[in-house]
Amino acid sequence: MLQANVIAVDLGASSGRLVRVSIENGELELEEVHRFPNEGIYINGRIYTDILSIFHEILAGLQKVCLSGRKIDAIGIDSWGVDFAFLDTDGELLGNPYHYRDTQGTGMIEAAEKIFGKRGLFYETGIQDMWNNTVYQIMGIQKRKPAYLDRVGHMLMIPDILGYFLTGSKTVEYTSASTTQMYDVREKKWADKVCRELGIRSEMLPEVVMTGTEKGVLTADVKKLIGLAEEESLRLIATAEHDSAAAAYAVPTDETHYIFISSGTWSIIGWVTDDPIVTDEIFEKEYSNEGAAFGKVKLVKTIMGMWLIQELRKCWKRQGKQIDYGFLVEAEENAAPFSHFIDVDDALFASPMDMEAAINQYCAQTGQSIMEEQGDFYRTVMESLAFKYRESIDDLEKISGKTVDKVYLLGGAIQDHAFCQYIANATGKQVSAGPIEATAIGNAMIQMEALGVFSDEKAHTEAIKKFADISCYEPQETELWDRMYETYKRVTTKEK
């Protein structure tokens, strides 16, 4: 095994960071070099992603790396899926990209059904109908601004537009392209029929490159901006650019069949497989066949996760209340169990101005009392999310015909030990929690794979196992949680 130093640029829906990941003699080392906030910007009724600010922060982070004097072999960028930016025919940015929580896609699923029929886009692409998919955002833009797309030269996903700023390369990575619902995961190409029927010109859609491809090297201007010597070269590698695909590459197991949960702003639950499953059952159960690293597929359900907590914290900050996680976890532990139940995927929670009010509105609609205490809100979200995971795991086991004894939990949510225990209790499965830095680690492991660091495909898993601090949680009070799960199902189906 060789040694390498890479930079994982990991962009989440609430923050971004640059992480240096090194490996030597099979030992991983991580260092967070730079972190910055990243949230949607509300302006005159629209929501945008401030892509230029993100690029500025990436340059600031790379400048820190250069000043450290440590040689870096490559960079890889991952982010949330579905969002995109437009370049004009001269290669200039047309404007800040819209954020996926913008409302312009409202009603576009129904509009697409009139063209393709129900399940039509799913059967063309393998991707579930979700209100924030790229295809519906573009349809919404076309409805509001019919001539806007005439000005578009290229559409690039968020990691790819940043890669273009760094290198001049106009390509889209496979896992990122798969989130658009305009890409056929079976044929590994843009879905021609979808684009043609929706009036999306083929020349707008760049080449899709496979995970691990070298996208280019930093331009001379970028090297000057970050302080990299003119004679030095720094490669940009197409990591698994969809963050959940990067995280899935960091699952610390050699099992051929396993279920993972990547728990962040969104919760992604599913498994990695070789081929997509495109059936009525998969559609009805709301699963998608998204791209996984190196041409594989992850069959996943996307659940609104820590978004609810993030938005609650914003409410409480405006009210002058404590919002640090240590305080909230303690309040959660002191709150009464099973006092309320919510469906975390309810439309009320998609993009409210006040999440506390939205949750209480849901409670009122389902015959539950109004909450006031922070601990009650926090515990209700976390217990309900654990029950949502159980629903999905039950579905996945039925789909596969296989039962698992363990679930792999990845991401920042593992810091809430009570939540990890809730998941074990709710699902009746052992929960393997970690690594917390799964997305950055997966991003880096893919770069290292492309650099030829690992001797075989299992070597990166062994390195992760040695590095990661894994905690295991066994199910407790399963009879009580089984009863409460039945109550959860009764309450959360009343509104539907």
Side-chain angles (χ1 to χ4, degrees):
M1 182 180 290
L2 303 174
Q3 64 182 47
N5 291 283
V6 301
I7 296 294
V9 180
D10 178 25
L11 305 174
S14 60
S15 67
R17 70 257 182 81
L18 279 72
V19 181
R20 181 186 62 79
V21 184
S22 301
I23 191 165
E24 186 171 359
N25 298 322
E27 299 285 342
L28 280 178
E29 178 184 320
L30 268 69
E31 176 193 8
E32 186 176 286
V33 177
H34 186 60
R35 177 180 284 269
F36 54 93
N38 176 40
E39 296 180 350
I41 309 297
Y42 290 78
I43 304 175
N44 294 331
R46 299 258 70 90
I47 311 177
Y48 302 89
T49 292
D50 193 347
I51 199 70
L52 298 180
S53 175
I54 294 172
F55 182 63
H56 172 77
E57 294 290 355
I58 290 173
L59 293 181
L62 292 176
Q63 189 177 65
K64 290 180 182 179
V65 173
C66 291
L67 288 172
S68 73
R70 187 185 291 266
K71 178 175 171 53
I72 298 298
D73 299 299
I75 307 169
I77 306 172
D78 70 74
S79 84
W80 65 98
V82 308
D83 278 359
F84 56 93
F86 288 137
L87 300 175
D88 67 15
T89 53
D90 295 321
E92 293 186 11
L93 186 67
L94 273 174
N96 258 333
Y98 295 104
H99 193 280
Y100 65 83
R101 293 196 185 274
D102 188 277
T103 59
Q104 65 191 343
T106 302
M108 294 301 107
I109 290 179
E110 294 76 12
E113 284 182 359
K114 292 178 181 178
I115 301 171
F116 298 98
K118 192 173 179 63
R119 303 184 180 88
L121 283 176
F122 172 74
Y123 271 96
E124 290 291 334
T125 65
I127 298 296
Q128 187 61 236
D129 295 336
M130 286 191 66
W131 54 271
N132 58 358
N133 284 352
T134 310
V135 67
Y136 305 124
Q137 294 189 52
I138 291 179
M139 289 176 68
I141 293 171
Q142 288 176 313
K143 182 179 179 180
R144 292 192 305 109
K145 301 180 177 183
Y148 188 79
L149 264 60
D150 294 342
R151 303 167 56 200
V152 175
H154 285 92
M155 181 193 84
L156 295 172
M157 306 304 286
I158 294 298
D160 302 296
I161 192 70
L162 294 165
Y164 168 70
F165 293 160
L166 289 170
T167 68
S169 170
K170 298 175 187 172
T171 57
V172 175
E173 186 270 335
Y174 160 69
T175 67
S176 191
S178 75
T179 69
T180 62
Q181 209 177 18
M182 296 158 52
Y183 183 84
D184 186 340
V185 291
R186 291 161 297 194
E187 300 296 327
K188 303 289 191 293
K189 68 182 187 66
W190 293 112
D192 295 333
K193 179 181 177 182
V194 173
C195 298
R196 183 174 61 252
E197 291 290 338
L198 296 179
I200 298 169
R201 305 189 317 277
S202 59
E203 59 266 28
M204 284 174 50
L205 304 174
E207 175 191 1
V208 177
V209 298
M210 186 48 65
T211 317
T213 301
E214 183 177 319
K215 300 192 77 171
V217 296
L218 267 56
T219 66
D221 286 347
V222 169
K223 288 195 292 185
K224 287 179 183 177
L225 288 170
I226 65 173
L228 187 65
E230 184 178 350
E231 65 275 11
E232 292 191 44
S233 179
L234 187 53
R235 289 174 281 186
L236 175 67
I237 290 176
T239 186
E241 290 185 350
H242 188 202
D243 52 9
S244 67
Y249 201 70
V251 178
T253 181
D254 294 320
E255 298 171 60
T256 56
H257 179 79
Y258 56 86
I259 293 175
F260 73 91
I261 305 170
S262 179
S263 185
T265 299
W266 292 90
S267 290
I268 311 297
I269 182 168
W271 70 61
V272 175
T273 184
D274 290 326
D275 300 300
I277 306 174
V278 185
T279 64
D280 284 351
E281 179 186 23
I282 298 301
F283 179 84
E284 294 297 337
K285 292 184 182 298
E286 301 181 340
Y287 282 82
S288 276
N289 295 273
E290 296 178 351
F294 299 109
K296 292 194 174 185
V297 175
K298 50 186 174 63
L299 183 71
V300 293
K301 174 173 280 191
T302 300
I303 298 166
M304 274 195 276
M306 297 304 289
W307 162 253
L308 282 80
I309 298 298
Q310 291 165 3
E311 290 299 296
L312 282 170
R313 292 177 75 228
K314 289 180 184 178
C315 292
W316 295 330
K317 183 178 181 180
R318 291 194 295 268
Q319 297 169 19
K321 296 180 179 179
Q322 291 192 60
I323 62 168
D324 64 276
Y325 279 106
F327 167 79
L328 293 174
V329 168
E330 183 178 351
E332 167 197 25
E333 292 173 349
N334 292 329
F338 311 118
S339 65
H340 297 77
F341 303 93
I342 63 172
D343 178 356
V344 296
D345 277 340
D346 191 272
L348 283 170
F349 310 137
S351 190
M353 294 299 292
D354 186 324
M355 184 62 77
E356 192 177 74
I359 290 174
N360 272 334
Q361 182 181 345
Y362 181 94
C363 289
Q365 290 175 352
T366 51
Q368 302 178 85
S369 63
I370 300 302
M371 284 183 275
E372 296 182 359
E373 300 299 323
Q374 289 172 272
D376 291 332
F377 280 102
Y378 194 101
R379 185 160 189 148
T380 293
V381 170
M382 303 310 265
E383 287 177 345
S384 296
L385 189 54
F387 284 134
K388 195 74 172 182
Y389 292 166
R390 173 170 173 167
E391 284 183 4
S392 299
I393 290 169
D394 288 349
D395 286 342
L396 286 166
E397 290 184 332
K398 290 173 184 174
I399 290 166
S400 67
K402 299 176 182 177
T403 300
V404 300
D405 299 319
K406 181 189 295 186
V407 177
Y408 292 89
L409 180 66
L410 312 166
I414 72 170
Q415 296 173 100
D416 185 339
H417 302 295
F419 180 48
C420 296
Q421 190 62 57
Y422 294 165
I423 299 169
N425 296 350
T427 63
K429 312 289 186 186
Q430 183 189 72
V431 172
S432 171
I436 186 172
E437 303 286 0
T439 306
I441 291 172
N443 177 325
M445 294 295 97
I446 290 164
Q447 292 185 63
M448 292 178 183
E449 185 82 25
L451 293 171
V453 170
F454 299 114
S455 57
D456 60 66
E457 62 181 14
K458 292 184 178 181
H460 87 275
T461 303
E462 292 305 313
I464 294 169
K465 285 181 178 179
K466 288 172 65 175
F467 169 81
D469 183 13
I470 306 295
S471 298
C472 289
Y473 298 81
E474 299 291 343
Q476 299 173 4
E477 301 180 300
T478 52
E479 184 178 340
L480 170 63
W481 279 80
D482 285 345
R483 290 201 313 271
M484 292 300 101
Y485 179 56
E486 295 303 317
T487 304
Y488 160 84
K489 288 195 294 184
R490 286 197 300 272
V491 170
T492 57
T493 55
K494 281 184 179 180
E495 198 184 48
K496 298 177 180 178

